[in-house]
Amino acid sequence: MSDILTHAENGVMTITFNRLERKNSITAAMYGAMADALAQAGSDPAIRVAVLQGHETVFSAGNDIGDFLNQPPAGADSPVFRFLRGIATFPKPLVAAVCGPAVGVGTTMLFHCDLVYAGDNAAFSMPFVNLGLCPEAASSLLVPQMFGYHRAAEALLLGEPFMAEAALEVGLVNRVVPPTEANGVAQAAARKLAAKPLGALVETKRLMKKGQQQLVAQQMADEGQSFSRLLGEPAAREAFGAFMAKRLPDFSKI
Ligand code: COA
């Protein structure tokens, strides 16, 4: 079965991570499939809302590290950047259900969702620095805006995980529910949205976002350049090598 499942019903397109054995880590092929699904959902008049969901035990472990090493993103048209642009500019409502670990892009993609429901087991983390990298998905702009600078520094410089209740407190999630209910709660919200007039939804989202649409695009492009450069540097090589060898990284000589 495919690592990304898409299902359209009653105006709702649901995109599901389906790679549980690898903790829903995301390969280039999966980014490509999600970018295509978002593009289709955005332009198909029969789709009014999109939902992103994982499993009740894990949302996503972020980039598949092996795949990332084998085929690092090359240029703005690479699947990961296509996906990030797609999610940042998706014109219709986007709802997410998050349970268990949401690592790296598993967390940063949520800043582009309109409604986020979390299982009480959700554990968010953005450990880019720990991997010798920098933030992506405009999170270096959006996290300080939402969290305030000092809490953003804790999340992005220390890279420490934070749980569902903390995410609720800073406004990253709308509601915390039992993990078995998260996908259902997200679907119920999506059905409610799908019953509303699409033109009014799209216009309202556009108006809420327009003030910083360009800033987000610029930040993403800036981050993308730094991320690609850092990916080739010794710290990232050490961090990724350590992950593959199941040991702790040693940055003492870098
Ligand atoms: N890329 C590639 N493989 C990954 C992965 C990733 N991002 N995350 C998990 N996996 C693999 C593990 O290597 C393991 O493989 P194995 O069965 O061959 O040993 C398998 O998925 C299960 O993961 P495991 O770590 O045993 O599960 P866990 O429940 O103990 O922990 C996480 C789950 C998500 C907390 C942990 O896997 C993790 O921290 N992953 C790395 C996250 C990361 O750094 N992402 C990159 C962000 S840019």
Side-chain angles (χ1 to χ4, degrees):
M1 219 194 296
S2 172
D3 291 339
I4 293 293
L5 303 177
T6 57
H7 175 75
E9 192 176 341
N10 298 328
V12 178
M13 157 88 77
T14 302
I15 301 172
T16 307
F17 295 114
N18 183 42
R19 197 176 180 234
L20 211 45
E21 72 287 358
R22 290 275 151 202
K23 301 289 169 184
N24 289 340
S25 54
I26 310 173
T27 60
M30 290 164 73
Y31 280 121
M34 290 194 292
D36 291 346
L38 285 173
Q40 195 214 322
S43 61
D44 182 347
I47 302 294
R48 290 160 173 253
V49 184
V51 176
L52 276 172
Q53 63 182 27
H55 185 260
E56 64 192 49
T57 59
V58 61
F59 182 63
S60 171
N63 289 312
D64 179 304
I65 290 176
D67 186 71
F68 217 58
L69 285 177
N70 290 336
Q71 36 180 345
D77 284 332
S78 58
V80 58
F81 293 130
R82 256 189 340 113
F83 166 71
L84 292 178
R85 278 199 307 276
I87 201 170
T89 59
F90 189 66
K92 300 172 183 175
L94 189 53
V95 181
V98 185
C99 297
V103 186
V105 70
T107 289
T108 59
M109 70 174 75
L110 303 173
F111 289 84
H112 301 283
C113 295
D114 301 296
L115 297 172
V116 181
Y117 298 101
D120 57 21
N121 62 345
F124 305 87
S125 59
M126 296 176 278
F128 302 108
V129 165
N130 304 345
L131 294 165
L133 298 172
C134 68
E136 32 74 324
S139 56
S140 55
L141 172 75
L142 300 173
V143 180
Q145 271 181 2
M146 185 182 282
F147 290 18
Y149 185 80
H150 289 106
R151 281 197 281 201
E154 204 166 43
L156 288 172
L157 296 179
L158 281 174
E160 290 193 342
F162 52 97
M163 301 302 291
E165 286 301 332
L168 183 67
E169 195 198 322
V170 291
L172 177 60
V173 308
N174 291 81
R175 186 144 47 109
V176 179
V177 299
T180 49
E181 291 172 22
N183 287 1
V185 169
Q187 289 292 333
R191 281 195 299 274
K192 252 195 217 174
L193 287 164
K196 296 184 189 295
L198 180 59
L201 286 172
V202 167
E203 206 48 27
T204 302
K205 177 166 175 172
R206 185 187 72 77
L207 289 164
M208 285 201 290
K209 296 254 179 184
K210 82 166 192 185
Q212 61 172 21
Q213 195 80 10
Q214 210 181 343
L215 217 53
V216 165
Q218 275 165 2
Q219 194 83 3
M220 262 191 203
D222 194 349
E223 290 172 344
Q225 280 188 0
S226 300
F227 194 97
S228 299
R229 176 176 55 75
L230 288 168
L231 205 50
E233 294 194 354
R237 286 209 299 274
E238 166 59 14
F240 286 120
F243 179 82
M244 300 305 279
K246 297 189 188 295
R247 62 171 172 80
L248 286 174
D250 175 7
F251 300 118
S252 61
K253 296 189 180 61
I254 295 169

